[in-house]
Amino acid sequence: DARVTQTPRHKVTEMGQEVTMRCQPILGHNTVFWYRQTMMQGLELLAYFRNRAPLDDSGMPKDRFSAEMPDATLATLKIQPSEPRDSAVYFCASGSEGRAKAQHFGDGTRLSIL
Amino acid sequence: GDSVTQMEGPVTLSEEAFLTINCTYTATGYPSLFWYVQYPGEGLQLLLKATKADDKGSNKGFEATYRKETTSFHLEKGSVQVSDSAVYFCALSEDGANSKLTFGKGITLSVRP
């Protein structure tokens, strides 16, 4: 089965450091989503892309977060500078057009900011 | 805007018990409806879906029926197993071009032997 691949799976770093999370969507999928999951807030949509163009990043703190798709096989989510409150599990999901189409999730990056 | 409401959790059941997890939705158009499951340490996986009224989605013994008249999509299983312990999310999609999902808050199910 095709899968969404996320790297790294775990990341521990000190506050103020830059963090880059990567996602390889399923080949042929043209939509990519970034989510953040915490115990307090649950699952939050941060940003999403269609055909590599950003459509909505209103869920992201703009001053420190950025999301890009350098090409169709790679999506990145960067945090600079990182803060302890950014500690969470970050998920990438990909999908294709159509309201009946499901999103396919990666296994996430568990981020801890000390 | 669109929204999904799930019953409050967590839910704890004994093995072989009957499961119902309630989900209701609000949408401006005609959404597709989904149930996702998240096992510990993993991402969300599609469990089942339904795309029009009265459709029944089913998978792994779970079922849910798209009820337009009550705007509901309740998840049921006749006999739960310990391996069904997970977090369950109800979701809807109305944005056909982008497959964007609106999720409920999720509910944790624990099944004891």
Side-chain angles (χ1 to χ4, degrees), chain B residues 14-48:
Chain B
S14 296
E15 203 165 24
E16 299 184 2
F18 184 84
L19 169 71
T20 298
I21 301 177
N22 289 343
C23 171
T24 57
Y25 67 90
T26 301
T28 53
Y30 200 153
S32 291
L33 302 174
F34 304 82
W35 277 101
Y36 280 81
V37 59
Q38 183 180 28
Y39 299 103
E42 298 182 11
L44 281 69
Q45 302 173 24
L46 177 67
L47 181 58
L48 53 84

Side-chain angles (χ1 to χ4, degrees), chain A residues 9 31 33 35 37 43 45 48 50 55-56 91 95-107 110, chain B residues 30-32 34 36 38 41-46 49 51-52 89 93-101 103:
Chain A
R9 288 296 314 277
T31 55
F33 303 81
Y35 294 90
Q37 187 176 40
L43 196 63
L45 177 64
Y48 68 99
R50 181 159 71 106
L55 291 189
D56 186 354
F91 289 104
S96 47
E97 293 184 20
R99 70 171 183 78
K101 302 295 185 182
Q103 291 181 17
H104 297 258
F105 282 73
D107 285 334
R110 184 173 295 274
Chain B
Y30 200 153
S32 291
F34 304 82
Y36 280 81
Q38 183 180 28
E42 298 182 11
L44 281 69
Q45 302 173 24
L46 177 67
K49 69 178 183 181
T51 59
K52 61 182 188 295
F89 293 88
S93 174
E94 206 170 13
D95 185 350
N98 302 318
S99 61
K100 181 176 172 227
L101 292 171
F103 284 94

Side-chain angles (χ1 to χ4, degrees), chain A residues 1-20:
Chain A
D1 280 345
R3 296 176 60 86
V4 174
T5 303
Q6 289 187 248
T7 56
R9 288 296 314 277
H10 303 273
K11 177 75 175 179
V12 180
T13 192
E14 294 185 346
M15 66 177 292
Q17 297 298 305
E18 178 178 299
V19 174
T20 299

